Structures are given as structure tokens and as C-alpha cells.
Amino acid sequence: MRRRATHVARCFRTGAVVQVAEQGRQGAASCDPEVSHRVVTGPVWCFARALGELLMRSGLMVKRAFDVAASLGGLVVLSPVLATCAVANAALLGRPVLFHQERAGLHGKPFMMVKFRSMTDERDAEGNLKPAKERLTPWGRFIRATSIDELPELWNVLKGDMSVVGPRPLYTEYLNHYSAHQARRHEMRPGITGLAQVSGRNHLSWEEKFDLDVSYIDRWSLALDIKILAKTVVAVVKREGIDAKESAPLQRFRGSPSAQKESA
């Protein structure tokens, strides 16, 4: 019943039509609207729905507790690395050592994400910032390739703006370019790492990343978070999905064909 109820709750969260079939003491739940089962609207259905939602909420509470413990512990354990990077940034890139930028969080709510700076503030003769590729130094490439620049985001996790695992927080301007499907990536807190980051990272297109983000939302479980964290450690050590040449900023998302059709 627990597995079935959890499935029912996930179907509700995705907005699908759920149909439950009872065959004696055994039941089956499906999110496929084409499956012709008898819809149960009585006590069994209500109990399954309530139990499923309770399990989901309990799981999210455990996820938040894990985020608080992991971020607080990470800030303490990694304090030597954070201090070393701060000193190196001050010496090689100048002050400030941290970079703050508005990103879209849970339900699209904006928050200020904090990272280590990886680029200089070099400007041209007219006073305009030079292109990002020209301002990205070897040190900046290194901290990006090793994800050291992401460590200050543990503070965002502790504050509740982010989670350890979840879809990456992107620019707020992207909110106007998402399709309805892509916008679902904001149904959970953004994360320091996520399914897309361990599935190809910069080798993926925007559409592929967003599909993986929504897949994470639909498939979420604590076991999946642990699996993603384990893959993240391996990816960082092996530097999979990214190299020094690819650590330059990606082109900004301007909308996908599917999103443009929906807005037309």
C-alpha cells in the first residue's frame, strides 16, 4: 500500500489522471489516462491519496533536515578550503572574493545565490566589461572545473534558498522563456548538484537539462538524492562532463521551439 500510495501522490503532483484498479486484494495504479481501469472514488481512493501525500511531505521534511545538517557540516569541515580559496581569489582576482547574483528558486521566487568569483572585472577602453571568456583566468577555470566555486552555496542551502540536490538555479529572466513542462523544474528547491549535472553537465543542450530536471521532480526520493550525490563525487574527481575549455559560461537560454509554440 505504501508503494501504491506514493505512486498516487506523484501522479497528483504531475497533474496526471490517476486510475486505480482493484483486483481482489491486489491493486494497480497508473498515470496513463489511456489505461481503462475502474476509477475508485471511495474510501480506498481517499486513503491512498492521503497516505501518499503524507509520505511525500514526510520525505521532503527529511530532505530539508538532511540539507541543514549537510550544509552546516560542510561549512565547518570545508572551512579550510573555503578560507584558502578566499585568500587565493583576493590575490589573483581582487576583491570582492564572492559573487552574488539573483537566481530563480522554489516556485520561481528570486533569491541571491553566492559563489566564489571566477572572473576578473577587466573593462575595455569604453569602460564596458570585456567578454566573459577574456575575463576567465586559469584560476577561475580551475575552481569551476573542480566545482570549488560552488561551495559558498552551502550558505544558501542552510538559509533554505537551495537544497543540496535539485535542479540548478538559473537566471530569473529564463522564467519568461520556459514551456509549461520546463517551468515544472521550479516545483522543488534548486540544488548545488542535480540529475543533469551527473548526466553530462555542459555536454547537454538546454532542453535535455530541463527534461532531466523535470524527471528528477517526478522521480524524487531520498535514495535518488544519495545516488546523485555519489555520482557527483565521482564526476568531480574524474572531472567528467566538463573540462578547462568548456568551463567558460554557456550561451543563455532564449527559449525552445516547444515554448515558442505554446506562447504563439
Side-chain angles (χ1 to χ4, degrees):
M1 175 61 74
R2 177 175 178 177
R3 181 177 180 181
R4 171 185 170 192
T6 302
H7 180 74
V8 170
R10 285 176 178 166
C11 292
F12 263 99
R13 189 168 60 184
T14 60
V17 176
V18 182
Q19 295 176 309
V20 181
E22 288 192 337
Q23 302 171 354
R25 294 184 179 181
Q26 295 181 344
S30 173
C31 289
D32 187 353
E34 296 182 358
V35 178
S36 57
H37 293 316
R38 179 169 60 89
V39 179
V40 179
T41 59
V44 174
W45 165 252
C46 294
F47 174 75
R49 178 179 179 180
L51 180 59
E53 291 179 349
L54 178 61
L55 291 172
M56 281 295 176
R57 290 180 182 178
S58 300
L60 292 175
M61 290 176 63
V62 174
K63 178 179 174 67
R64 178 56 190 154
F66 171 79
D67 286 340
V68 172
S71 59
L72 185 59
L75 288 170
V76 173
V77 173
L78 297 173
S79 57
V81 178
L82 292 166
T84 300
C85 189
V87 172
N89 262 24
L92 299 173
L93 301 178
R95 295 177 180 277
V97 299
L98 296 176
F99 171 73
H100 296 79
Q101 189 173 64
E102 186 178 77
R103 296 293 177 97
L106 180 63
H107 304 312
K109 182 180 178 180
F111 72 97
M112 296 303 294
M113 186 183 73
V114 57
K115 300 173 64 173
F116 277 123
R117 280 182 60 202
S118 57
M119 295 186 290
T120 67
D121 288 329
E122 291 183 75
R123 298 177 181 271
D124 57 26
E126 298 179 354
N128 299 316
L129 285 172
K130 291 184 177 181
K133 290 184 178 180
E134 296 181 21
R135 296 186 289 118
L136 188 62
T137 66
W139 168 252
R141 290 189 179 91
F142 170 74
I143 63 175
R144 284 192 176 195
T146 56
S147 298
I148 293 176
D149 65 321
E150 310 280 0
L151 293 181
E153 293 172 29
L154 289 170
W155 175 246
N156 288 120
V157 175
L158 186 61
K159 289 172 57 183
D161 297 326
M162 294 177 60
S163 180
V164 174
V165 180
R168 285 294 296 161
L170 300 176
Y171 299 116
T172 53
E173 66 187 64
Y174 291 1
L175 293 172
N176 296 324
H177 300 303
Y178 292 139
S179 66
H181 171 75
Q182 293 167 348
R184 292 195 54 230
R185 67 188 305 277
H186 291 286
E187 291 180 6
M188 295 185 74
R189 287 186 178 91
I192 295 178
T193 186
L195 185 59
Q197 282 60 53
V198 298
S199 303
R201 204 169 177 177
N202 286 359
H203 291 161
L204 302 175
S205 67
W206 281 117
E207 287 74 17
E208 289 172 327
K209 290 181 180 180
F210 296 152
D211 285 343
L212 286 169
D213 290 340
V214 176
S215 176
Y216 170 78
I217 299 292
D218 291 338
R219 297 166 48 201
W220 176 82
S221 68
L222 294 176
L224 179 59
D225 276 4
I226 294 173
K227 182 178 180 180
I228 290 174
L229 283 173
K231 286 188 174 182
T232 299
V233 174
V234 174
V236 169
V237 172
K238 293 185 176 181
R239 296 176 67 176
E240 294 177 346
I242 188 169
D243 56 34
K245 292 182 179 179
E246 293 176 330
S247 56
L250 297 174
Q251 292 185 349
R252 297 204 172 193
F253 177 66
R254 302 298 183 187
S256 57
S258 60
Q260 293 172 1
K261 288 181 181 179
E262 289 182 7
S263 60

